[in-house]
Amino acid sequence: MWGKNWKSSGKLPCLDSDCLPHHHHHQIANATCNEEKLAEETSNGLDACAKESKLNFEETAKDVESLADQKALEENNCSFLHAVINMIGMLIGLGQLSAPYALENGGWTSAFLLVGLGISCAYGSHLLGKCLEKYPKSRDYKDIGQNAFGAKGRIIVASFIYAEIFMALVSYTISLHDNLATVFLGTHLKLSWTNLTTSQTLTVLAILVALPSLWLRDLSSISFLSTAGILMSLLIFVTVACTAIFGAVKANHSIPALKLHNIPAISGLYIFSYAGHVVFPNLHAAMKDPSKFTKVTIVSFSLVTVLYTSLAFMGAKMFGPEVNSQITLSMPRALILTKIALWATVLTPMTKYALEFAPFAIQLEQNILPHSMKSRTKMIIRGSVGSILLLVILVLALSVPYFEYVLSLTGSLVSVGICMIFPCAFYIKIFWNQISRPTLILNMILIAFGTLLGASGTISSSRLLLQNLRRAHSA
């Protein structure tokens, strides 16, 4: 998901084939030249000069395409280990904060759902790799959608991608607000000309601090933020684990076996935990040996599933029914480990905004703004649009401060499509003449299961969100 980390090093990955080497454009140029050649051979009215000019153009186009292919190969320098680290970095994020809450509310048997969804999403990643091998010129998730279902497929995929980014950023901002309130507990900061509370004022100030990063002209200059995001996520896991291991909190609470009525709502939390598929095509394209992409997927998802499961059981055992939707908010405030975890959770969203807005910026600059426009004017427009969107996200986050319900809604409404449903549907469409009957049945079952889980989770999380909003307004 874009709600996850990007590559931990190197260039910022492009999100649209338009911002990558223009192989498609060269192919079109060559196809056009071949058609012209055929027309020349069947026509007696063209002179030799035109033919010579056309042949020179063909050779030039082929040379450019060859150079572009060579450049692309030179950039594919991501080793197996580096690819694993990158994929893990893309996956871990907000999901780990809510894992203990989800397990406590779903029961310990819901861990089987967590593992099962991990396997299903890993299979979805494997299918994306197969689709990319079928069409080597594909460079991003939207290209796969177009290869499978044409322009409509591309539009649908793009809509889901941008919806996931937007909703994930709202969740990040809610997390920022909640953890800032705990970090500065007891602090009174109120501006006389606003009706904002202290925590809301602190959140506004934090957003204003992050705002200049949206104005950076060179998007690759912010790629270091991805590394910072990965380190913050790992730091949160380590602090929670140390709190449990060294006995700061006794892990003696019993976890209920199953709370069936809560499964639809927590399924969205589990699904979002594995949402990183939007960036996987970029990772596939960056690998030295793309044939190892499936192995990268297996290793990465296995490690992340172990991390999520262990963190979920630790948090649920330590805090029981009192566990917060964000594990950092349940930890004893006097501990130094808690302070580290809280600050890591506060800084994580600060590293996300510029990275998450990059797809919008690339789309805006490459496909919407005129190419003749000056780079400075593009930067101003890009920065202004990003700033306005971030302020809209801020308003939504402060108006709907229910982290678990917004995150669950994101997973059920959007992420389940990107992680499970779309990969299976794309694979069936692209490999229809080659797919075996058992594989077809498996993919159809996963599509049906994902659709059922997404629909029930969307209804459940939406209902809970509306109930809490009504309760807050009536209070």
Side-chain angles (χ1 to χ4, degrees), residues 318-352:
M318 282 194 294
F319 304 109
E322 302 300 319
V323 68
N324 199 283
S325 59
Q326 300 176 68
I327 185 62
T328 51
L329 301 179
S330 295
M331 295 171 67
R333 292 170 185 169
L335 290 178
I336 185 66
L337 288 173
T338 302
K339 298 183 187 300
I340 294 172
L342 286 169
W343 273 110
T345 311
V346 166
L347 292 175
T348 298
M350 305 289 285
T351 67
K352 297 288 184 181

Side-chain angles (χ1 to χ4, degrees), residues 116-117 120 123 127 416 420-425 427-428 435-454:
L117 286 172
S120 300
Y123 178 68
L127 294 183
V416 69
M420 290 178 60
I421 299 172
F422 288 169
C424 293
Y427 183 78
I428 290 174
I435 195 169
S436 65
R437 190 176 184 83
T439 304
L440 176 61
I441 293 172
L442 173 63
N443 282 273
M444 294 299 292
I445 290 173
L446 286 175
I447 290 174
F449 178 66
T451 303
L452 176 63
L453 214 57

Side-chain angles (χ1 to χ4, degrees), residues 77-289:
N77 57 3
C78 187
S79 66
F80 179 86
L81 179 60
H82 194 187
V84 169
I85 294 172
N86 282 335
M87 186 171 284
I88 292 174
M90 294 169 195
L91 290 170
I92 58 175
L94 286 176
Q96 67 174 348
L97 295 178
S98 61
Y101 171 86
L103 187 72
E104 170 63 30
N105 282 272
W108 64 265
T109 52
S110 72
F112 291 106
L113 176 62
L114 174 63
V115 175
L117 286 172
I119 295 172
S120 300
C121 292
Y123 178 68
S125 175
H126 161 72
L127 294 183
L128 291 177
K130 290 296 182 182
C131 292
L132 289 167
E133 290 173 9
K134 180 73 172 180
Y135 292 95
K137 297 296 183 181
S138 299
R139 306 296 292 187
D140 62 17
Y141 203 112
K142 288 178 285 186
D143 284 347
I144 300 175
Q146 184 164 1
N147 292 334
F149 295 102
K152 291 182 180 178
R154 187 178 188 87
I155 293 171
I156 292 172
V157 168
S159 301
F160 271 72
I161 289 173
Y162 295 138
E164 186 180 56
I165 293 172
F166 188 83
M167 295 176 72
L169 284 175
V170 173
S171 298
Y172 272 115
T173 308
I174 295 172
S175 174
L176 174 65
H177 168 264
D178 293 344
N179 285 274
L180 274 174
T182 306
V183 167
F184 292 98
L185 191 66
T187 303
H188 296 285
L189 179 63
K190 192 170 179 65
L191 302 177
S192 58
W193 47 276
T194 68
N195 294 323
L196 300 177
T197 63
T198 298
S199 59
Q200 290 174 335
T201 303
L202 289 169
T203 306
V204 171
L205 293 175
I207 292 296
L208 292 176
V209 170
L211 207 59
S213 64
L214 303 180
W215 289 75
L216 290 175
R217 185 173 180 179
D218 182 10
L219 293 176
S220 62
S221 65
I222 62 174
S223 60
F224 73 93
L225 293 174
S226 180
T227 305
I230 295 172
L231 293 176
M232 293 299 104
S233 296
L234 292 176
L235 188 59
I236 293 169
F237 174 78
V238 170
T239 52
V240 175
C242 289
T243 303
I245 293 170
F246 296 113
V249 178
K250 292 183 178 180
N252 56 4
H253 287 85
S254 61
I255 306 172
L258 178 65
K259 295 181 179 178
L260 191 60
H261 64 283
N262 287 336
I263 293 298
I266 69 162
S267 64
L269 297 174
Y270 284 156
I271 292 168
F272 185 84
S273 300
Y274 294 109
H277 293 61
V278 172
V279 198
F280 291 171
N282 302 94
L283 178 58
H284 182 278
M287 291 182 64
K288 282 181 182 177
D289 186 1

